[in-house]
Amino acid sequence: MGIINATPDSFYSGSRRSYSEIAATAAEMTEHGAGIIDLGAYSSRPGAADVSEKEEIERIRLAMKEIRSAVPSALVSVDTFRSEVARIAVEECGADIINDISGGMLDKLMIQTVASLRVPYIIMHMRGTPATMRGLCDYPEGVTAGVVKELSVSVSKAEEAGICDMIIDPGLGFAKTVEQNYELLRNTKLIGDTFNLPVLIGLSRKNRLAYPQTKPCLPQSPQTLLPFRAVRPYCVSMMLRLPVSAWMCMDFRHKPTFETMDGFGIRDALDIAIAALLLYYLYRIMKESGTINIFFGVLAFIVVWVLASQILEMKLIGTILDKFMSIGLLVLVILFQDQIKRFLVELGDHKRWRFLKKLFHHSRGEHEDNARQYVLPIVYACMSMSKSKTGALIVIQNDISLDNYEKSGDIIDARINSRLIENIFFKNSPLHDGAMIIAGDKIVSAGCILPVSHDRNVPRALGLRHRSALGISQATDAFAIVVSEETGGISVAHRGVLTTRLSSADLEQRLFQVFHHKEG
């Protein structure tokens, strides 16, 4: 919030503007991040000359005309304690917010007027008048308790009048000593929590805020007071539907150094791009592993938690959901341990990083020779079993270890050999019903038990071998080969996708890709 005073005697001379300067000042404020421009035409400085209602209205009209000509879309709050000035400012000049330093105490018609205008209302705490407030700084119960107690009177009246969009201002410097100003700053969150309303902290260059303190909570020099940012703890939904994350009142003598909600740079774009990429990979892995429904269920739970606990503030449901959320990370790790492991493997072994691996490995020709001696025995065995309609399930390990599945079968620990593969899956062999696991250049184990996919898109004609192949490809990055006992057809499953009716050439090409990946 940037301040423009259309007065010759406001608190800070740097905020005073002649009518010829107002348009340029408003444009500069908006350019440097001001979301709201606060216009005052009556000085609340102690000892300032009184301004008639007629003169205040005339100043507002002239100043608003200049502001609207420079920044037509800017949100403008008018600083006044007079109901008639507020009415004309909104109805005739197009003001968006009324900022009342007296909280309705100096004009008994102010609250009813704002209610009829249906605009947001800033209620500030002040005792007496600007001329008498310096002698009214005694708060027997403490300044925070006193301010809250007295503000509650104005807030209650505003609520009874039907004003639903309010902002409270503890009124730094208005009937407050220097020590009391700092205490209010330290208790800003407490004040906001008490009313469940946003808090406006008005930090101008009043000399009262620049005095040194024993335990200061703010920078002490006027030069460093300028960029201070008071963050309020709640969001406000005004009739203007104004999204605000922090309210601040400041004088624009120098360019402000704080960041605004409207600022969007390369860093923000990069942040969004990385988050989107990670979410995409996570979604793809969940979809391939058949746990996408659980993933959406978790998202739905988080949405319900935010609505109940953070937005609607339902205490009972919010408390129950908070307890679940406190252990939510542990539950997610347990539920998605396989998917998390696969996600991390993909993140670290994506194609973008493979060129680094090649620096530390053999040449491409050596890779092809090594891959051929592993691939061809598997292809020959599968083609032979396909002709004889011998059922088979072969799993080739990639980056994710299959130790848990290997232990469910019998250890073989033999080099890849086509005759050995055919012998293991011979229908009278005791190991033919399970899966064979190949890791590197060896047949590690056979007769292994694999997870079964529950994907409803799998055709009913496909049996348990196909579902097991799909299941292991969803749970890990393994490559699975199935030879159908009924039809002799060859199928492969990889990354949660099942491909059927492969020829020997297709199978050979797929296997070469797998082994090139493992060695490259």
Side-chain angles (χ1 to χ4, degrees):
M1 177 183 282
I3 298 173
I4 294 179
N5 287 313
T7 60
D9 55 355
S10 63
F11 271 109
Y12 169 55
S13 61
S15 67
R16 303 170 195 162
R17 291 290 183 271
S18 64
Y19 295 115
S20 61
E21 298 175 308
I22 286 176
T25 302
E28 182 182 6
M29 288 179 175
T30 304
E31 179 184 353
H32 292 307
I36 302 172
I37 295 174
D38 186 67
L39 174 63
Y42 185 107
S43 176
S44 55
R45 178 179 60 83
D50 185 49
V51 177
S52 67
E53 183 177 285
K54 181 179 180 181
E55 183 177 356
E56 184 181 4
I57 291 173
E58 186 61 25
R59 288 179 179 180
I60 293 293
R61 281 173 171 158
L62 292 174
M64 283 293 294
K65 183 178 179 181
E66 296 296 323
I67 292 172
R68 289 303 183 203
S69 67
V71 280
S73 60
L75 293 173
V76 181
S77 66
V78 169
D79 187 342
T80 183
F81 59 84
R82 289 167 168 159
S83 59
E84 184 61 17
V85 176
R87 185 188 66 78
I88 290 176
V90 174
E91 292 183 346
E92 295 185 16
C93 304
D96 304 293
I97 304 168
I98 296 300
N99 185 0
D100 182 3
I101 63 169
S102 75
M105 295 299 179
L106 295 180
D107 187 335
K108 302 303 180 183
L109 297 177
M110 174 61 93
I111 291 178
Q112 289 295 335
T113 300
V114 174
S116 66
L117 294 172
R118 299 184 65 80
V119 293
Y121 186 38
I122 301 176
I123 301 174
M124 196 190 84
H125 174 269
M126 184 180 71
R127 284 179 167 180
T129 66
T132 63
M133 63 184 180
R134 282 188 172 177
L136 302 173
C137 300
D138 184 27
Y139 297 87
E141 68 273 47
V143 65
T144 302
V147 167
V148 168
K149 180 179 179 181
E150 293 170 22
L151 273 175
S152 63
V153 176
S154 297
V155 171
S156 297
K157 290 180 179 179
E159 289 176 341
E160 292 173 1
I163 300 175
C164 60
D165 292 320
M166 290 176 282
I167 301 164
I168 52 175
D169 181 349
L172 301 186
F174 289 81
K176 317 290 188 308
T177 64
V178 176
E179 292 78 8
Q180 289 168 345
N181 288 334
Y182 281 104
E183 181 180 334
L184 289 171
L185 283 172
R186 283 190 291 268
N187 293 326
T188 299
K189 185 179 186 303
L190 175 62
I191 295 171
D193 288 343
T194 302
F195 291 99
N196 195 18
L197 289 172
V199 178
L200 171 66
I201 296 297
L203 286 178
S204 68
R205 290 176 180 261
K206 304 179 181 74
N207 59 359
R208 285 175 162 259
L209 285 175
Y211 292 155
Q213 298 296 303
T214 304
K215 294 181 179 180
C217 65
L218 282 177
Q220 295 177 8
S221 69
Q223 288 72 28
T224 55
L225 280 175
L226 177 63
F228 177 77
R229 187 180 187 190
V231 181
R232 65 176 181 79
Y234 294 95
C235 291
V236 58
S237 176
M238 297 184 177
M239 293 178 184
L240 301 171
R241 298 300 175 210
L242 172 66
V244 183
S245 66
W247 288 85
M248 181 173 180
C249 192
M250 63 181 296
D251 297 312
F252 271 74
R253 183 177 182 181
H254 304 289
K255 292 183 179 181
T257 59
F258 60 87
E259 294 179 355
T260 66
M261 292 291 286
D262 295 329
F264 187 86
I266 297 176
R267 182 171 57 184
D268 302 298
L270 184 63
D271 185 20
I272 294 173
I274 293 173
L277 183 64
L278 292 176
L279 286 174
Y280 165 74
Y281 272 108
L282 190 61
Y283 169 78
R284 196 190 74 180
I285 290 172
M286 295 295 176
K287 186 176 181 181
E288 291 175 356
S289 64
T291 56
I292 191 64
N293 289 337
I294 299 177
F295 178 71
F296 284 130
V298 171
L299 288 182
F301 181 85
I302 293 174
V303 170
V304 171
W305 171 69
V306 171
L307 286 173
S309 181
Q310 307 297 319
I311 298 178
L312 300 179
E313 297 184 356
M314 297 178 176
K315 294 184 178 179
L316 179 59
I317 297 177
T319 301
I320 295 172
L321 295 179
D322 285 343
K323 296 297 182 183
F324 280 103
M325 290 301 295
S326 64
I327 60 171
L329 181 61
L330 179 61
V331 172
L332 288 177
V333 170
I334 294 172
L335 281 176
F336 299 111
Q337 55 181 321
D338 292 332
Q339 287 74 26
I340 293 172
K341 186 189 299 182
R342 180 175 165 187
F343 171 74
L344 294 175
V345 168
E346 286 204 10
L347 190 64
D349 193 51
H350 195 269
K351 292 179 180 179
R352 292 183 179 88
W353 315 115
R354 287 186 190 166
F355 73 93
L356 294 174
K357 288 187 175 183
K358 293 179 180 178
L359 297 176
F360 306 98
H361 286 76
H362 302 292
S363 67
R364 181 179 178 87
E366 291 177 335
H367 288 166
E368 291 179 354
D369 292 338
N370 290 335
R372 184 174 297 277
Q373 66 177 329
Y374 306 143
V375 168
L376 295 182
I378 298 174
V379 173
Y380 293 153
C382 289
M383 294 311 299
S384 176
M385 291 186 290
S386 174
K387 291 178 181 178
S388 61
K389 294 185 178 179
T390 300
L393 175 53
I394 303 171
V395 179
I396 301 173
Q397 176 181 301
N398 274 320
D399 297 308
I400 298 178
S401 174
L402 302 178
D403 286 347
N404 291 334
Y405 304 109
E406 293 168 5
K407 294 174 183 177
S408 66
D410 293 304
I411 301 300
I412 303 297
D413 193 25
R415 293 183 66 84
I416 299 174
N417 182 285
S418 60
R419 290 186 180 182
L420 179 57
I421 295 174
E422 291 182 54
N423 190 54
I424 288 174
F425 288 110
F426 180 65
K427 63 180 180 180
N428 292 329
S429 168
L431 300 178
H432 80 282
D433 277 335
M436 172 189 292
I437 295 179
I438 295 176
D441 62 348
K442 288 191 175 184
I443 300 172
V444 179
S445 59
C448 301
I449 300 172
L450 303 182
V452 178
S453 173
H454 299 284
D455 191 341
R456 296 181 180 179
N457 294 322
V458 177
R460 292 182 177 274
L462 301 181
L464 190 60
R465 281 194 180 91
H466 291 83
R467 288 189 174 273
S468 296
L470 186 59
I472 193 67
S473 75
Q474 291 172 339
T476 69
D477 62 345
F479 184 87
I481 307 171
V482 180
V483 179
S484 173
E485 191 173 358
E486 286 76 21
T487 65
I490 298 175
S491 306
V492 297
H494 192 217
R495 299 189 182 279
V497 178
L498 181 67
T499 306
T500 59
R501 299 179 181 178
L502 267 70
S503 65
S504 60
D506 293 334
L507 179 60
E508 184 175 341
Q509 182 181 4
R510 293 289 189 95
L511 285 172
F512 268 117
Q513 291 173 355
V514 171
F515 280 95
H516 272 309
H517 165 76
K518 289 163 64 63
E519 297 185 357

